[in-house]
């Protein structure tokens, strides 16, 4: 092991006998010796030992096995020899220590640095470091996560202890000592007569080398990518007979399900045949069944370009023909990386993974696979959607109605459903799957796997942006259908749904698609650790699995505001739409799948807040929760997130937004915008002006003009293009509005118009105006979340007093001011305590402008660059050199 820093610090003469670092060591002037052997017929070669001794080495640091090195070398240095071994000795002595740690199902693993002696991994222990072994760890994952990086650090620490004269020599105990044989292909056959966990441990303990295998259909098949499976889930697929197994395996869409003799299950992702070809286990019965694609002239040109690439890699092959096998011709793992990159250079739209090469090893198979990908026909599973179809709004709308988990539409556990209601007439639209706790767990597990193991977490940010942009394009292609679904499910007027609910959603995804490759950290100057120097930089990293819980007033737009930033940051999502408005979220899930977002990246769970929302708040694998809704529920969510695992939270909660209208305003504009501030989206608007303060000199004129405009408003079917005011979202909300207005009347406010339900089918409520509203009244303090205008007077010249009254609320989401005096506008905007201040306008939100509240209106931002920070974590890295 070579370390220049230690060489300089301790003034030892390092000797690198062999290894991958030899090139770097030579650059630093370190003597490098590469001997083909140390011994001949069991005896040390004198010339080799002499060359070694001539270097004057004071310590040998050896990785893994030392039995190949003569004791004359082991014992020669002043400080002797130390060895790194990847297990917690005395357990798992021997060359396959990592394999056997997994095969035995050890819960703890780690490494040992010990003093070499003449035994096999039996010398005194210098230090040990341990780690948890995860249930689905493989040799590769535990080595990369802990044994290699921490092993290097541990070995450096061992050398420092020796240099300081503090290195212990702890005799290895005899109790618990084990020695297992070297794992080779001939002794890695699977014994099916054991539990599912034991089979899983055997497969992962041999993954990827030498590979656990069994006979299937008369040939040797090697199994890779094993995971334990939730046994509460029934496996649906095609049975596969496996000699010796307690039950046939089942080839499912997710992989090959296998059974232990205890009836429990595991799943493997990939299979490799004797000829070296690897396939996805889910494709077992499809392997070799696809008809060859006939290439067009452009594709033939691409094929010839790739033939030249293969020839440049496989220099030992005289000619590349269709049957040339990439690996049998001598290609190695680095050649796979090169081949993938060569394809990108010649066809950027053909995004290959290393696994694609392993699964298409002959030139013909490789070209066929590339061409299918270029055509968008790369054998991906067809999305199966059980639509509810309706002919409405001069079109046929096709609505998914099941949960969307791990790239599939599925029924809820137990087949539970509920009816979603059309607020225009109170009739049922369709039955929708009602998610249960087990469904939440499945969705979170799928999102976690997609983030940690899937291609989404490894995807180039620019490629991620392309997928998000493609999703926005698909939403645009389906915008009329989405707007129609939004109208019948939420009561939104169709023209508003088309422009705002859907239109702004499309803009939001396009905006954040552009941010994907612009997320970056910074370099920070810090105090230097003289005589050394330091470099500190930050990285912005995705959080992981994010839960999003959205309300019913803007079902698709609230989804877009949070999900677009979340995905752009590289996270995966489990989203709970409002129970009363699930349909556009489910249609969005379909479009996300068709856009090519990998399985598990987006999961949609219609269901109750008490069950689904609560489980998402409590789930230990959810690392961030974004919520829009009431302050009361927001407080409960915040508490649950803190108690569960201190997950990051952003909350956009209730509001009672003040709008101050001064006498020097543009009256016509103030009336028009004032009405929009209250009645936009039939008042179901989180930033709606909950209270208007109108200067007394223009109060009566303002109220008169508002009432005149209300009389012109058409209340009716939201799909009618001339409708101004549609139904409230659901019956319970309608009833609360009636009660709210009755309370205002009882408190002594003057009801100018409205205040009651419209006498027609559905959940319609009249646009309402109250005046003479005093500060202490319930309707002055609490939001209606409906089409109710609350007007209070203020005296001319009392700017500071009206500001005091406007800020005398626990909410701080939005606010507004109308005046022609720019100095007054700036003065008021500085003193209004709200996350957004509108001046001479209202409801002017934009995808590039941050949106969020103060005080009990919550914290965190949607939209704009700041929204990305809600779904990122900052890591600081400091390097001393």
């Amino acid at each position: 092991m070579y370390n220049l820093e230690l060489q300089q610090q301790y003034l030892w003469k390092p000797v690198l006998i062999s290894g991958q670092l030899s090139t770097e060591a030579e650059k630093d002037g370190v003597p490098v010796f590469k001997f083909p052997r140390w011994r001949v017929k069991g005896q040390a070669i004198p010339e080799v030992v002499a060359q070694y001794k001539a270097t004057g080495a004071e310590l040998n640091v050896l990785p893994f096995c030392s039995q190949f090195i003569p004791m004359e070398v082991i014992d020669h240095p002043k400080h002797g020899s130390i060895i790194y071994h990847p297990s917690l000795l005395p357990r798992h002595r021997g060359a396959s220590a990592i394999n056997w740690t997994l095969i035995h199902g050890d819960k703890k693993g780690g490494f040992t640095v010990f003093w070499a002696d003449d035994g096999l991994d039996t010398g005194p222990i210098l230090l040990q470091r341990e780690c948890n072994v995860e249930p689905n760890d493989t040799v590769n994952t535990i080595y990369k996560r802990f044994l290699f990086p921490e092993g290097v650090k541990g070995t450096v620490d061992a050398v420092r202890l020796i240099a300081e004269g503090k290195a212990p020599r702890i005799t290895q105990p005899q109790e618990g000592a084990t020695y297992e044989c070297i794992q080779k292909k001939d002794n890695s056959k699977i014994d099916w007569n054991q539990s599912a966990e034991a089979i899983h441990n055997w497969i992962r303990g041999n993954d990827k080398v030498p590979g656990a295998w069994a006979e299937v259909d008369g040939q040797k098949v090697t199994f890779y990518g094993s995971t334990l499976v939730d046994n509460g889930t029934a496996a649906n697929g095609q049975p596969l007979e496996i000699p010796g197994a307690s039950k046939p395996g089942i080839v499912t869409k997710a992989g090959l399900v296998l059974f232990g003799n205890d009836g429990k299950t595991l799943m493997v992702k990939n299979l490799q045949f004797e000829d070296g070809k690897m396939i996805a286990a889910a494709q077992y019965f499809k392997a070799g069944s696809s008809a060859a694609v006939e290439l067009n002239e452009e594709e033939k040109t691409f094929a010839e370009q790739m033939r030249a690439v293969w020839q440049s890699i496989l220099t030992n092959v005289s000619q590349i023909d269709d049957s040339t096998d990439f690996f049998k011709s001598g290609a190695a793992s680095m050649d796979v990386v090169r081949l993938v990159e060569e394809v990108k250079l010649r066809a950027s739209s053909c995004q290959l993974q290393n696994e694609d090469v392993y699964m298409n090893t002959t030139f013909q198979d490789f070209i066929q696979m590339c061409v299918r990908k270029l055509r968008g026909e790369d054998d991906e599973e067809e999305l199966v959607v059980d639509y509810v179809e309706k002919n409405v709004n001069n079109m046929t709308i096709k609505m998914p109605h099941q949960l969307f988990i791990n790239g599939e539409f599925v029924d809820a556990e137990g087949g539970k459903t509920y009816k979603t209601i059309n607020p225009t007439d109170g009739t049922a639209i369709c039955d929708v799957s009602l998610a249960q706790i087990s469904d939440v767990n499945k969705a979170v597990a799928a999102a976690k796997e997609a983030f940690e193991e899937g291609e989404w977490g490894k995807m180039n940010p620019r490629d991620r942006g392309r997928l998000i942009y493609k999703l926005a394009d698909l939403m645009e292609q389906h915008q009329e259908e989405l707007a129609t679904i939004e109208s019948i499910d939420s009561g939104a007027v169709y023209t508003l749904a088309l422009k705002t609910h859907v239109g702004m959603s499309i803009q939001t995804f396009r905006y954040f698609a552009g941010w994907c490759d612009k997320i970056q950290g910074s370099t920070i100057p810090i105090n230097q650790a003289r005589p050394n120097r330091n470099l500190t930089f930050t990285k912005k990293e995705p959080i992981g699995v994010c839960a999003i819980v959205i309300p019913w007033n803007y079902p698709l737009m609230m989804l877009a505001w949070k999900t677009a930033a979340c995905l752009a940051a590289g996270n995966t999502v489990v989203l709970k739409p409002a129970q009363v408005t699930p349909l556009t979220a489910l249609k969005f899930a379909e479009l996300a799948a068709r856009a090519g977002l990998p399985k598990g990246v987006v999961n949609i769970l219609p269901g109750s807040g008490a069950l689904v929302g609560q489980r998402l708040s409590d789930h230990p694998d959810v690392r961030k929760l974004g919520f829009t809704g009431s302050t009361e529920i927001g407080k409960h969510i915040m508490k649950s997130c803190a108690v569960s695992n201190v997950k990051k939270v952003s909350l956009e909660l209730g509001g009672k937004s003040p709008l101050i209208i001064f006498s020097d305003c543009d009256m016509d504009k103030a009336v028009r915008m004032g009405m929009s501030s209250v009645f936009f989206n039939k008042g179901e608007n989180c930033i709606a002006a909950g209270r208007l303060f109108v200067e007394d000199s223009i109060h009566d004129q303002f109220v008169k003009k508002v009432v005149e405009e209300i009389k012109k408003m058409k209340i009716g079917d939201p799909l009618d293009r001339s409708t101004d005011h549609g139904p409230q979202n659901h019956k319970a909300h309608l009833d609360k509005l009636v009660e709210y207005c009755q309370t205002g009347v009882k408190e002594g406010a003057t009801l100018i118009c409205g205040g009651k339900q419209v006498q027609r089918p559905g959940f319609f409520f009249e646009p309402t105006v109250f005046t003479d509203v005093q500060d202490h009244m319930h309707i002055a303090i609490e939001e209606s979340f409906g089409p109710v205008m609350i007007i209070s007077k203020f005296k001319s010249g009392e700017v500071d007093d009206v500001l005091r009254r406007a800020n005398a609320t626990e909410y701080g989401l939005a606010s507004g001011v109308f005046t022609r005096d720019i100095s007054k506008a700036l003065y008021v905007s500085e003193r209004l305590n709200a996350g957004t201040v509108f001046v001479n306008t209202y409801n002017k939100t934009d995808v590039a402008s941050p949106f969020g509240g103060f005080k009990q209106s919550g914290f965190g931002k949607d939209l704009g660059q700041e929204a990305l920070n809600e779904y990122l974590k900052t890591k600081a890295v400091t390097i001393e050199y």
Side-chain angles (χ1 to χ4, degrees):
M1 181 173 292
Y2 167 64
N3 187 296
L4 181 59
E5 178 188 347
L6 290 176
Q7 173 199 355
Q8 294 169 338
Q9 186 171 352
Y10 300 116
L11 301 178
W12 289 344
K13 299 175 181 178
V15 178
L16 185 67
I17 296 171
S18 64
Q20 296 178 347
L21 297 179
S22 59
T23 302
E24 293 300 318
E26 285 176 325
K27 291 179 183 177
D28 291 320
V30 178
V32 175
F33 299 86
K34 296 186 178 181
F35 303 128
R37 65 176 65 88
W38 284 92
R39 314 175 196 225
V40 174
K41 297 182 179 179
Q43 298 298 313
I45 303 172
E47 295 84 357
V48 173
V49 174
Q51 285 189 58
Y52 162 74
K53 289 182 177 180
T55 65
E58 297 180 31
L59 175 68
N60 292 331
V61 181
L62 309 172
F64 298 97
C65 305
S66 63
Q67 63 265 37
F68 306 109
I69 301 175
M71 290 306 297
E72 293 96 320
V73 173
I74 295 291
D75 294 336
H76 174 74
K78 171 185 175 182
H79 295 286
S81 299
I82 59 173
I83 303 173
Y84 166 90
H85 183 79
S87 79
L88 298 174
L89 292 173
R91 189 163 174 80
H92 306 310
R93 293 168 175 163
S96 296
I98 310 176
N99 304 76
W100 287 102
T101 297
L102 300 174
I103 290 170
H104 282 282
D106 293 356
K107 304 303 180 187
K108 295 286 184 180
F111 63 86
T112 304
V113 178
F114 68 97
W115 298 94
D117 63 7
D118 58 356
L120 182 60
D121 304 330
T122 56
I125 294 171
L126 194 161
L127 65 76
Q128 289 185 321
R129 302 276 164 81
E130 71 172 35
C131 67
N132 292 326
V133 180
E134 301 298 329
N136 294 319
D137 262 334
T138 63
V139 174
N140 191 45
T141 60
I142 194 173
Y143 183 74
K144 287 185 175 179
R145 186 182 76 247
F146 184 84
L147 296 176
F148 174 71
E150 296 303 320
V152 171
K153 295 176 187 176
T155 305
V156 171
D157 289 344
V159 173
R160 286 183 174 139
L161 288 171
I162 295 170
E164 295 165 0
K166 299 177 182 179
R169 293 175 179 264
I170 303 168
T171 302
Q172 290 192 33
Q174 292 301 312
E175 184 179 356
T178 64
Y179 171 78
E180 293 94 359
C181 63
I182 296 175
Q183 280 303 96
K184 298 179 180 179
K185 199 70 175 181
D186 58 2
N187 64 1
S188 60
K189 184 177 181 180
I190 300 170
D191 175 9
W192 296 107
N193 189 27
Q194 51 186 334
S195 68
E197 183 176 4
I199 296 172
H200 163 68
N201 287 337
W202 183 261
I203 294 173
R204 71 187 180 119
N206 287 283
D207 188 341
K208 298 229 177 202
V209 178
W213 62 275
E215 289 185 5
V216 181
D217 287 338
Q219 62 176 320
K220 187 183 289 186
V221 177
T222 304
F223 297 72
Y224 297 108
S226 175
T227 55
L228 291 171
V229 175
D230 177 7
N231 290 285
T233 305
N236 297 313
Q238 192 169 347
L240 176 64
E241 291 292 339
I242 300 175
S246 58
K247 292 173 65 176
I250 301 176
V251 178
T252 71
K253 293 179 180 179
L256 173 60
V257 175
L258 302 168
F259 294 86
N261 61 9
D262 56 355
K264 295 183 178 180
T265 55
L266 61 141
M267 180 184 291
V268 294
K269 290 294 181 68
N270 297 316
L271 303 173
Q272 189 172 34
F273 299 105
E274 289 180 276
D275 62 3
K277 182 175 181 180
M278 183 180 287
I279 66 166
Q283 301 293 314
Y284 182 84
F285 290 111
K286 299 178 183 178
S289 62
S290 300
V293 173
E294 186 173 345
L295 276 57
N296 60 32
E297 290 304 316
E298 185 178 353
E299 291 161 349
K300 288 177 181 177
T301 300
F302 169 77
E304 290 309 308
Q305 290 175 345
M306 295 315 304
R307 193 185 302 274
V309 170
W310 276 52
Q311 189 72 69
S312 68
I313 295 173
L314 306 175
T315 55
N316 58 317
V317 178
S318 60
Q319 182 178 344
I320 305 297
D321 57 33
D322 287 351
S323 62
T324 300
D325 188 284
F326 195 62
F327 297 102
K328 289 182 179 179
S329 299
S333 58
M334 280 304 299
D335 298 315
V336 173
V337 175
R338 177 185 165 185
L339 184 56
V340 169
E341 293 303 314
E342 294 277 11
V343 171
K344 288 180 183 178
L345 287 174
R346 289 158 180 79
S348 60
S349 61
C350 186
Q351 297 294 317
L352 298 190
Q353 304 296 322
N354 291 357
E355 296 272 320
D356 292 322
V357 181
Y358 287 111
M359 294 182 185
N360 297 274
T361 60
T362 68
F363 183 74
Q364 182 180 37
D365 288 347
F366 176 79
I367 292 299
Q368 290 282 309
M369 176 269 297
C370 289
V371 169
R372 284 193 171 94
K373 282 185 176 290
L374 287 168
R375 294 181 180 183
E377 304 170 356
D378 50 341
D379 285 340
E380 290 190 3
E381 296 171 26
E382 182 181 354
L383 181 67
V384 178
V385 188
D386 179 25
Y387 292 114
V388 172
E389 297 189 19
K390 286 187 179 292
N391 293 314
V392 61
N393 201 23
N394 299 316
M395 68 181 77
T396 299
I397 57 173
K398 301 169 73 174
M399 299 176 290
H401 63 98
Q402 298 166 290
L403 313 182
F404 188 73
I405 299 175
N406 201 26
E408 296 182 289
F409 285 103
V410 295
D411 289 335
E413 185 72 26
K416 293 191 176 181
T417 63
Y418 69 99
K419 295 185 184 301
T420 185
I421 304 299
N422 184 341
T424 302
D425 56 15
T427 61
I429 302 171
C430 64
D431 289 335
V432 176
S433 294
L434 182 67
Q436 305 300 301
I437 288 179
S438 60
D439 299 311
V440 179
N441 294 339
K442 292 172 191 173
V444 172
K448 183 179 180 183
E449 182 176 1
F451 178 76
E452 294 181 353
E453 306 293 339
E455 58 183 298
W456 186 253
K458 305 167 189 172
M459 189 175 291
N460 181 292
R462 192 162 294 173
D463 293 335
R464 188 164 63 241
R466 289 192 188 101
L467 284 180
I468 296 173
Y469 204 95
K470 183 178 178 181
L471 170 58
D473 286 346
L474 277 177
M475 292 172 70
E476 187 171 54
Q477 292 171 26
H478 289 262
Q479 60 184 335
E480 290 86 2
E481 183 181 23
L482 285 165
T484 302
I485 296 172
E486 192 91 328
S487 291
I488 67 171
D489 203 25
S490 75
V493 171
Y494 175 74
T495 50
L496 178 67
L498 193 61
K499 178 183 181 295
T500 301
H501 290 236
V502 179
M504 192 174 188
S505 298
I506 295 166
Q507 293 171 14
T508 302
F509 277 101
R510 285 196 173 131
Y511 173 80
F512 282 107
W515 269 109
C516 288
D517 61 352
K518 300 171 187 67
I519 297 170
Q520 58 192 11
S522 57
T523 304
I524 304 170
I526 66 170
N527 290 332
Q528 305 295 343
R530 297 177 180 175
N532 294 335
R533 305 185 69 186
N534 295 103
L535 170 66
T536 294
F537 60 89
T538 60
K539 297 174 65 181
K540 298 285 189 179
E541 298 180 346
I543 293 172
V545 179
C546 298
I548 293 175
V549 180
I550 56 173
W552 40 259
N553 57 326
Y554 293 102
L556 186 63
M557 196 170 78
M558 291 297 98
L559 176 153
W561 280 21
K562 295 186 188 301
T563 304
C566 181
L567 295 177
N571 301 286
T572 56
V573 179
V574 180
L575 182 139
K576 190 198 90 64
Q579 188 170 350
V580 293
T581 53
L583 296 181
T584 45
L586 293 172
K587 187 67 180 181
F588 167 83
E590 178 199 343
L591 299 179
R594 298 199 186 283
L597 270 67
K599 291 182 178 181
V601 173
V602 171
N603 303 271
I604 308 292
L605 299 176
S608 73
L611 200 69
V612 178
Q614 185 64 55
R615 179 55 182 155
L616 288 172
S617 301
D618 294 337
H619 203 294
D621 289 333
V622 173
R623 292 297 172 185
K624 160 70 199 275
L625 192 146
F627 172 74
T628 296
S630 72
T631 297
E632 179 185 7
I633 300 301
K635 290 178 179 179
H636 181 79
I637 284 176
M638 189 173 177
K639 181 178 179 180
S640 296
C641 289
V643 170
S644 58
N645 60 346
V646 198
K647 57 176 61 71
K648 188 174 183 178
V649 183
S650 56
L651 303 172
E652 196 259 277
L653 307 176
K656 188 67 175 175
S657 301
L659 174 58
I660 303 172
I661 301 176
F662 289 98
S663 59
D664 63 349
C665 68
D666 178 333
M667 176 61 77
D668 290 339
K669 186 175 183 181
V671 169
R672 187 173 69 254
M673 288 293 180
M675 290 188 63
S676 174
S677 74
V678 175
F679 302 125
F680 188 82
N681 200 47
K682 11 91 176 201
E684 295 170 354
N685 189 16
C686 51
I687 58 171
R691 192 174 181 195
L692 276 65
F693 295 91
V694 181
E695 194 164 349
D696 54 5
S697 61
I698 63 167
H699 174 273
D700 293 349
Q701 180 188 6
F702 179 85
V703 172
K704 180 181 178 182
K705 285 180 174 290
V706 166
V707 173
E708 288 173 354
E709 292 300 316
I710 287 175
K711 290 177 180 177
K712 299 176 186 176
M713 293 173 66
K714 179 179 178 180
I715 302 172
D717 183 355
L719 294 177
D720 184 334
R721 302 314 192 259
S722 63
T723 294
D724 300 301
H725 188 80
Q728 304 308 132
N729 187 276
H730 53 280
K731 181 65 164 61
H733 180 51
L734 176 67
D735 294 342
K736 285 182 180 180
L737 282 174
V738 172
E739 182 182 353
Y740 182 89
C741 291
Q742 290 172 348
T743 300
V745 171
K746 289 177 183 177
E747 290 181 318
T750 301
L751 179 63
I752 300 296
C753 63
K756 60 182 182 296
Q757 181 178 354
V758 178
Q759 297 303 308
R760 59 173 291 167
F763 310 140
F764 291 86
F765 191 80
E766 295 177 340
T768 299
V769 177
F770 278 100
T771 61
D772 301 320
V773 178
Q774 305 303 309
D775 294 354
H776 69 275
M777 292 180 178
H778 175 79
I779 62 173
I781 298 170
E782 297 298 331
E783 69 175 331
S784 68
F785 211 66
V788 182
M789 182 178 284
I790 307 295
I791 302 177
S792 299
K793 294 180 185 178
F794 70 93
K795 292 181 180 180
S796 299
E798 296 187 353
V799 177
D800 288 329
D801 185 64
V802 75
L803 279 168
R804 176 191 59 79
R805 295 171 68 192
N807 286 328
T809 171
E810 276 300 303
Y811 301 109
L813 189 56
S815 59
V817 55
F818 278 82
T819 177
R820 285 191 173 98
D821 185 338
I822 187 62
S823 296
K824 187 188 296 181
L826 290 172
Y827 181 87
V828 170
S829 65
E830 286 177 2
R831 286 158 178 78
L832 283 169
N833 195 4
T836 297
V837 181
F838 298 109
V839 178
N840 294 330
T841 188
Y842 209 89
N843 288 323
K844 183 61 178 176
T845 54
D846 187 88
V847 295
S849 177
F851 179 95
F854 299 163
K855 299 187 285 188
Q856 291 198 44
S857 288
F859 52 84
K861 296 295 182 183
D862 291 326
L863 303 179
Q865 183 179 358
E866 287 194 38
L868 290 167
N869 294 327
E870 304 299 328
Y871 299 95
L872 292 166
K873 57 189 179 185
T874 302
K875 177 183 288 182
V877 180
T878 296
I879 302 170
E880 187 168 300
Y881 59 98

